[in-house]
């Protein structure tokens, strides 16, 4: 039976596959969006005009990917979310000790606008409340207030990775209604903490608060802090890693004012909120979150932002105090089926199908510690390269530990892939898959590959030649269609055929083993299948090292008698072989030497074809160097 191969059938849906992270973000956004509690701030009148239904949720990763749900592109004033970033700039410009002499780092246990300075020193308690932020702004480099503010705007822009601007209406309104902040300024100057003009210091503070950002900007700014000061989009370093450590520590203890303790306990994410409804949250070295939703709780923090962060933390296992899991790519290797194949010996037609259509099989070997960040990178690599993939093998043998969030993301990926016509199978230690949704689980990568190859072969044959051919394939490959014999001239085949003897094997029956005398006998698999096994381990158990399907041949000459391990060829299922014994070959050699010679050449050709294939696989294999995540650009 000849197969005219015309390409893989039923090509996978090439439409975009939604990352499970995006799906979860959308889900969280939809659910939290239903919350209608809270009130939009009105003490700065233009803020009162904000649409309370706006809600944007963005999540930036270490390698610069930004997931977005809802109104992530709507600009609003950053307000107090500027405080940790301006603090970072002051620390960068003046050093920790100078800044510490002016502004403390103890939680206030009071609101953002508390009028309270530390007894004895006259310092504001921390830089996350207005008093601290007014002093911090005055510490940033620049000879006068104008240049100082330009330095702040440039710094905030560097954190965001784009040029930011000011909302002049909000700025004018803050100045008009800013007596409370001015009062704080006078108190600071009276205590000797603030040098120079109160009006100018407060003006710089108001300008920083009036900077326009989006939820997407906030996610990138947060990720820049989280990654130690390098913007994940531009690759530019904004501040040093020591500085970001200090800033995130203060965000953890004071970022949410008098709610900081419970906030850190529940969400585990250092954060900072603002009265326009913005919020940043960070998970050091893993991700940055930006949220925008105007209605606030009585403390001045966005109600939906709090709920969204707590839910994301819970769903993704993001707590700061969780043991650290991998932050780089979890992908050890990603290959397509044209660069790797199982150890099954296949006849010509099947090999052709796999050679031409092998890219329909993808193999992804994961490794290490699977947490949110590492799994996210792996999942994106898979969803980003699914063109033409119909079967995906996820190999978990190198995975040391998987957080529940990793299992959830991978399970969601299985379901999403299935919708796009991709079947996912798992290979894992002892065939135990943690993924409930996977189609099948195997103890070895080889078995998983063989399974996918069988599926590809079966589907292709079914489509190319109809159900009869597929059934025929499963049944038998008669002698004239055997790999070795198919090119032999008909008259020679006529001489050979009567010399064959049939041999039937039950499943598990041994065809021959290492104790046999090697001879030249040839065994052609007509139907069923054989496997080559070695005995390994204590107690010894058979391990499959190769398998041979219908159309392929084995010889006892492959036995290695110097190999101390027991090596044997066993029937995998009810199997029929045609045997040309060594004795029969010897007799033929005497009668018709040219037939034996032709047979030897046919065997050599078949072997050479296999070696060529092995060589191609090796070359493709070497070309596919292990992938890793994008290293941080310092
Ligand atoms: N500009 C606002 C103020 O000083 C910022 C307050 C805030 O966002 N918590 O009142």
């Amino acid at each position: 039976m000849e197969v005219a191969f015309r390409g893989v059938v039923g090509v996978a849906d090439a439409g975009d596959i939604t990352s499970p992270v995006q799906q979860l973000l959308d889900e969280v956004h939809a659910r939290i969006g239903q919350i209608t509690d809270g009130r939009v701030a009105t003490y700065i009148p233009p803020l009162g005009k904000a649409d309370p239904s706006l809600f944007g949720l963005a999540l930036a990763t270490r390698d610069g990917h930004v997931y977005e749900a809802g109104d992530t592109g709507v600009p609003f004033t950053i307000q107090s979310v500027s405080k940790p970033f301006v603090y970072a700039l002051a620390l960068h410009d003046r050093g920790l000790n100078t800044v510490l002499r002016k502004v403390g780092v103890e939680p206030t246990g009071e609101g953002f606008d508390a009028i309270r300075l530390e007894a004895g020193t006259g310092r504001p308690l921390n830089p996350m409340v207005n008093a601290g932020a007014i002093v911090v702004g005055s510490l940033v480099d620049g000879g006068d207030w104008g240049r100082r503010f330009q330095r702040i705007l440039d710094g905030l822009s560097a954190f965001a990775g784009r040029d930011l601007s000011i909302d002049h209406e909000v700025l004018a309104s803050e100045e008009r209604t800013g007596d409370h902040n001015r009062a704080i300024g006078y108190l600071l100057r009276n205590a000797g903490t603030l040098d120079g003009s109160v009006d100018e210091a407060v003006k710089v503070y108001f300008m920083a608060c009036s900077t326009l950002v989006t939820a997407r900007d906030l996610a990138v700014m947060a990720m820049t802090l989280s990654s130690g000061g390098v913007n994940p989009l531009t690759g530019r370093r904004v501040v040093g890693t020591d500085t970001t450590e200090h800033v995130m520590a203060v965000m953890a203890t004071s970022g949410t004012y008098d709610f900081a303790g419970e906030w850190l306990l529940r969400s585990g994410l250092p954060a900072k909120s603002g009265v326009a409804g913005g919020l940043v949250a960070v998970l050091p070295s893993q991700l940055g979150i930006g949220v925008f939703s105007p209605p606030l709780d009585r403390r001045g923090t966005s109600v939906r932002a709090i709920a969204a962060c707590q839910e994301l933390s819970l769903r993704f296992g993001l707590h700061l105090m969780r043991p650290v899991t991998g932050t780089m790519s979890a992908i050890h290797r990603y290959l397509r089926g044209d660069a790797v194949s199982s150890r099954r010996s296949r006849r010509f037609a099947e090999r052709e199908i796999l050679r031409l259509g092998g890219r329909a099989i993808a193999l992804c070997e994961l490794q290490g510690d699977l947490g949110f960040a590492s799994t996210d990178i792996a999942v994106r690599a898979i969803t980003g390269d699914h063109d033409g993939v119909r079967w995906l093998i996820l190999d978990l043998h190198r995975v040391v530990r998987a957080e529940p969030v990793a299992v959830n993301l991978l399970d969601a990926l299985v379901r999403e892939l299935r919708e796009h016509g991709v079947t996912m199978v798992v290979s894992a230690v002892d065939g135990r898959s943690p993924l409930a949704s996977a189609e099948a689980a195997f103890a070895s990568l080889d078995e998983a590959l063989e399974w996918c190859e069988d599926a590809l072969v079966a589907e292709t044959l079914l489509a190319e030649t109809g159900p009869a051919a597929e059934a025929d394939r499963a049944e038998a490959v008669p002698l004239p269609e055997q790999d070795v014999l198919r090119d032999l001239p008909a008259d020679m085949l006529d001489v050979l055929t009567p010399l064959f003897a049939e041999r039937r094997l039950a499943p598990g029956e041994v065809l021959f083993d290492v104790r046999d005398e090697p001879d030249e006998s040839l065994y052609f698999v007509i139907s069923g299948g054989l496997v080559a096994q070695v005995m390994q381990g204590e107690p010894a158990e058979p391990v499959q090292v190769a398998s041979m399907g219908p159309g392929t041949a084995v010889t006892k000459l492959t036995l290695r008698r110097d190999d101390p391990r027991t090596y044997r060829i066993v029937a995998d299922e009810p199997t029929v072989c045609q045997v040309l014994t060594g004795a029969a070959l010897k007799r033929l050699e005497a009668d018709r030497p040219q037939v034996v010679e032709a047979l030897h050449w046919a065997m050599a050709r078949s072997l050479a074809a296999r070696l060529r294939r092995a060589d191609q696989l090796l070359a493709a294999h070497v070309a596919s160097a292990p992938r890793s995540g994008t290293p941080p650009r310092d």
Side-chain angles (χ1 to χ4, degrees):
M1 178 193 56
E2 198 60 34
V3 180
F5 185 85
R6 287 192 295 270
V8 189
V9 284
V11 169
D13 174 353
D16 275 352
I17 291 187
T18 314
S19 147
V21 176
Q22 182 67 48
Q23 286 177 25
L24 252 94
L25 199 69
D26 289 338
E27 262 175 60
V28 170
H29 180 270
R31 196 175 23 259
I32 303 298
Q34 287 166 7
I35 299 176
T36 52
D37 299 344
R39 301 251 292 270
V40 175
T42 50
Y43 75 101
I44 302 169
L47 297 186
K49 292 191 279 187
D51 176 355
S53 69
L54 288 172
F55 179 27
L57 186 53
L59 203 146
T61 66
R62 192 187 167 102
D63 59 337
H65 189 83
V66 187
Y67 293 100
E68 300 179 58
D71 308 305
T72 50
V74 175
F76 56 93
T77 53
I78 188 169
Q79 296 299 339
S80 286
V81 184
S82 60
K83 287 169 182 167
F85 300 100
V86 179
Y87 186 49
L89 298 174
L91 289 175
H92 181 268
D93 292 352
R94 294 298 182 93
L96 179 63
N97 289 331
T98 305
V99 176
L100 268 183
R101 270 197 293 280
K102 295 281 190 184
V103 183
V105 286
E106 300 307 329
T108 59
E110 294 177 37
F112 67 85
D113 53 358
I115 300 199
R116 187 154 83 92
L117 304 180
E118 193 177 65
T121 65
R123 296 185 306 175
L125 282 159
N126 69 64
M128 300 294 120
V129 291
N130 293 11
I134 292 169
V135 179
V136 163
S138 75
L139 294 175
V140 171
D141 272 353
D144 54 38
W145 70 267
R147 274 184 294 194
R148 227 172 25 245
F149 178 66
Q150 193 56 49
R151 157 86 180 126
I152 290 175
L153 190 62
D154 290 345
L156 294 176
S157 299
F159 271 108
R162 72 176 184 100
D163 287 339
L164 302 177
S165 61
I166 300 279
D167 183 326
H168 289 283
E169 188 194 353
V170 172
L171 174 61
S173 177
E174 292 225 33
E175 293 199 290
R176 258 196 313 278
T177 59
D179 282 347
H180 186 97
N181 285 319
R182 239 168 254 122
I184 294 174
Y186 281 106
L187 202 62
L188 288 166
R189 199 169 67 169
N190 180 58
T193 310
L194 186 66
D195 304 324
S197 151
V198 168
D199 275 347
E200 286 177 9
V202 172
K203 189 179 183 72
V204 168
Y205 167 74
F206 287 150
M207 290 179 94
C209 289
S210 306
T211 304
L212 284 166
V213 290
T214 64
R216 181 189 158 92
D217 290 332
L218 290 186
V220 175
M221 293 172 83
M223 189 61 227
T224 304
L225 277 182
S226 164
S227 71
V230 178
N231 184 304
L233 297 185
T234 63
R236 254 190 72 198
R237 177 168 285 288
V238 184
V239 291
T241 302
D242 291 355
T243 294
T244 58
E245 271 169 28
H246 298 145
V247 172
M248 289 190 286
V250 177
M251 283 166 74
T253 52
S254 311
T256 44
Y257 316 115
D258 48 338
F259 184 49
E262 188 174 340
W263 169 263
L264 191 62
L265 177 80
R266 288 194 185 279
S267 76
L269 299 167
K272 184 72 196 81
S273 65
V275 290
L279 180 137
V280 288
V282 292
L283 184 61
S285 86
Q286 300 212 41
L287 57 91
I289 297 173
V291 195
F292 169 54
S293 164
L296 311 178
D297 65 10
R298 60 179 177 78
R299 296 181 171 100
T301 299
S302 164
V303 175
R304 288 188 188 136
I306 291 182
C309 284
Q310 286 185 350
E311 175 137 358
L312 284 176
S313 168
L314 211 68
R315 297 281 287 270
F316 289 134
L318 303 181
H319 205 287
L320 176 65
M321 301 302 173
R322 215 171 238 271
V324 174
T325 48
T327 56
M328 301 309 280
S329 173
I331 294 191
H332 171 68
R333 225 164 42 138
Y334 183 90
L335 294 168
R336 288 292 189 92
D338 54 353
V340 64
S341 79
S342 76
R343 288 190 293 248
R344 181 168 182 83
S345 292
R346 296 180 183 276
R347 68 203 163 97
F348 175 76
E350 297 188 9
R351 290 205 305 275
E352 280 300 284
I353 290 171
L354 295 178
R355 184 174 70 80
L356 296 169
R359 284 186 64 75
I361 299 171
L363 157 64
C364 181
E365 290 175 81
L366 297 183
Q367 64 183 359
D369 231 357
L370 300 187
F372 169 73
S374 54
T375 309
D376 166 55
I377 295 175
V379 160
R380 257 186 290 130
I382 293 170
T383 54
D385 181 36
H386 70 281
D387 231 19
V389 173
R390 296 285 318 284
W391 292 271
L392 177 76
I393 303 167
L394 206 58
D395 179 75
L396 303 178
H397 280 92
R398 288 185 177 76
V399 170
V400 183
R401 188 166 69 107
E403 292 267 336
V405 60
V407 174
N408 287 341
L409 288 180
L410 292 172
D411 247 333
L413 176 67
V414 178
R415 292 191 297 272
E416 174 71 10
L417 287 174
R418 183 178 298 138
E419 299 230 319
H420 287 76
V422 182
T423 301
M424 185 145 124
V425 302
V426 169
S427 81
V429 176
D430 293 334
R432 280 201 302 262
S433 162
L435 306 184
S437 317
E439 182 76 21
F442 302 91
S444 74
L445 183 53
D446 191 54
E447 287 165 79
L449 258 171
E450 187 173 327
W451 188 90
C452 293
E453 289 171 356
D454 281 347
L456 171 60
V457 166
E459 244 185 55
T460 310
L461 287 178
L462 195 64
E464 293 291 323
T465 39
E470 160 57 10
D472 186 33
R473 176 194 87 99
E475 269 163 24
V477 178
L479 279 176
E481 285 167 23
Q482 291 278 321
D483 245 18
V484 172
L485 305 177
R486 51 201 286 277
D487 293 328
L488 224 54
D491 58 326
M492 294 202 176
L493 202 60
D494 288 345
V495 176
L496 275 174
T497 307
L499 305 179
F500 277 91
E502 190 180 83
R503 170 89 192 267
R504 284 178 180 270
L505 297 119
E509 199 177 331
V510 177
L511 178 62
F512 55 79
D513 73 22
V514 77
R515 284 180 299 270
D516 289 3
E517 269 314 311
D519 64 46
E520 286 188 46
S521 300
L522 270 173
Y523 301 83
F524 291 87
V525 184
I526 304 297
S527 65
L530 301 171
V531 293
Q533 297 176 335
V534 290
M535 300 302 283
Q536 256 176 13
E538 264 313 317
E541 279 196 41
V543 175
Q544 182 177 326
V545 292
S547 73
M548 280 109 352
T552 63
V554 266
T555 133
K556 277 190 190 168
L557 293 173
T558 58
L559 287 180
R560 286 185 46 205
R561 292 172 59 80
D562 57 339
D563 191 334
R565 293 172 305 180
T566 312
Y567 175 92
R568 61 190 193 181
I569 304 288
V570 183
D572 201 26
E573 52 193 298
T575 298
V576 177
C577 292
Q578 288 286 350
V579 190
L580 190 58
T581 62
L585 268 170
K586 271 214 178 65
R587 281 196 299 278
L588 189 64
E589 176 105 66
D591 290 356
R592 304 281 299 271
Q594 66 279 32
V595 175
V596 175
E597 192 185 339
L599 183 62
H600 282 157
W601 273 113
M603 285 168 66
R605 267 198 302 275
S606 162
L607 197 63
R610 276 171 205 280
L611 285 176
R612 253 197 318 277
R613 165 86 179 137
D615 201 46
Q616 278 162 3
L617 288 177
L618 194 65
H621 210 74
V622 169
S624 72
R627 287 192 184 184
S628 64
T630 321
R633 290 149 292 191
D634 262 73

